Amino acid sequence: MSWDDVTHVQASPSGTAKVAPKRDQAYLIILAGSSMGEMHKIGRDKTVIGRGQKADIRIVDEGISRDHCEVLIEGDKIILHDLGSTNGTFCRGLRVDRHELEDGDKILVGSGTVLKFTYHDKLDEVFQRQMYESALRDDLTKAFNKKYYMDRVESEYAYAVRHNLPLALVTFDIDHFKVINDTYGHPGGDYVLSELSSTVIASIRVEDVFARVGGEEFSIVCRGADLVQAQIVGERLRSGVANRQFVFDGKTIAVTISVGVAAVPNGAIRDAMEFIAAADQVLYEAKRGGRNRVCIWRK
């Protein structure tokens, strides 16, 4: 047997015994619901869960109250406390008012949102976030994937209609993307997709959902935005992309986008699929009308 065939184990220097990371940081991980996979660190004395604008963990779910429940840090204990919610807070299958949480406890709020309470160390946190990112985001652009987008449109649309709140879709497509691929190759096309996505992510709100819904087609779910506000978002994106320099392999690539905007409430839109179709329809109107423009769905 040669030296290269032998695996050698090197002992740690004396007095430097390895210490396992301490799992002492509390987290809530959303296991089911519109925000599935999200991970929230419990780092303050009180963390409110609800659908209201001021909730620390905001969840869109029909059965969740504005301020539904809270997680309290009391000494070395972590307490789940219901805040008088309409449909109740459940843990271990039982409705609770005040409950001391233990590692692994499952919490049910609303019609189908399940959270898991757990303790993690730093490595656990990094791993969990990587799993979340890989499951819900597109590798190249870091935008959410189509499945996540469809789920969010369904839940956001139902919530907006039920509470008569504005909601908009800003859908856009890269103009002449096939020409970009043919001219600069797929590496050039990938560069454009990645850089464009970075530009968009930097210009939208944290609560907006930015997703890649096709090869070169993207959409943004804008909670609380009416048609006028969404049109402003669309125009800002269009002009931002048109005025940005995309330089690949020393060559400048001209990039523009066509944008379609739809918003609810709107009596002509009856469900989430019609909502998506409305934004798509005016997107293609923008492309047929000469590209590098924003079209609005006004029926």
Side-chain angles (χ1 to χ4, degrees), residues 165-170 205 222-234 261-265 275 296:
L165 296 172
L167 177 70
L169 292 181
V170 178
R205 305 172 303 174
C222 302
R223 178 189 293 167
D226 60 22
L227 196 61
V228 173
Q229 293 167 323
Q231 183 178 6
I232 293 171
V233 172
V261 177
V264 291
F275 191 23
I296 311 300

Side-chain angles (χ1 to χ4, degrees), residues 174-176 256-258 285-293:
I174 301 174
D175 297 327
H176 301 298
T256 61
I257 59 174
S258 297
E285 284 181 13
K287 296 186 83 68
R288 289 192 297 269
R291 297 181 169 85
N292 190 24
R293 64 190 59 206

Side-chain angles (χ1 to χ4, degrees), residues 170-194:
V170 178
T171 300
F172 63 91
D173 184 281
I174 301 174
D175 297 327
H176 301 298
F177 186 69
K178 185 178 185 303
V179 174
I180 294 174
N181 265 336
D182 290 345
T183 305
Y184 302 96
H186 288 290
D190 286 350
Y191 163 79
V192 169
L193 289 168
S194 178

Side-chain angles (χ1 to χ4, degrees), residues 13-57:
S14 60
T16 59
K18 294 182 179 179
V19 178
K22 188 176 182 182
R23 301 177 73 247
D24 58 356
Q25 176 59 59
Y27 291 86
L28 286 172
I29 301 171
I30 301 179
L31 299 182
S34 63
S35 302
M36 183 177 66
E38 287 186 4
M39 183 175 185
H40 299 274
K41 183 185 292 186
I42 306 301
R44 58 179 67 185
D45 291 342
K46 180 174 72 172
T47 300
V48 175
I49 301 168
R51 61 174 174 81
Q53 293 282 354
K54 296 182 179 179
D56 300 301
I57 301 177

Side-chain angles (χ1 to χ4, degrees), residues 220-286:
I220 306 168
V221 185
C222 302
R223 178 189 293 167
D226 60 22
L227 196 61
V228 173
Q229 293 167 323
Q231 183 178 6
I232 293 171
V233 172
E235 180 56 35
R236 185 172 69 238
L237 293 176
R238 185 207 63 76
S239 61
V241 172
N243 294 324
R244 189 192 188 288
Q245 274 204 325
F246 292 81
V247 180
F248 176 75
D249 198 21
K251 300 173 183 177
T252 299
I253 304 175
V255 181
T256 61
I257 59 174
S258 297
V259 185
V261 177
V264 291
N266 186 308
I269 296 176
R270 295 167 295 182
D271 58 36
M273 295 308 296
E274 288 188 356
F275 191 23
I276 293 171
D280 284 341
Q281 179 182 326
V282 287
L283 163 61
Y284 293 117
E285 284 181 13

Side-chain angles (χ1 to χ4, degrees), residues 50 59 71 164 207 212 223 256 298:
I59 301 174
V71 176
N164 196 34
E207 63 265 35
R212 185 181 182 185
R223 178 189 293 167
T256 61
R298 295 187 180 278

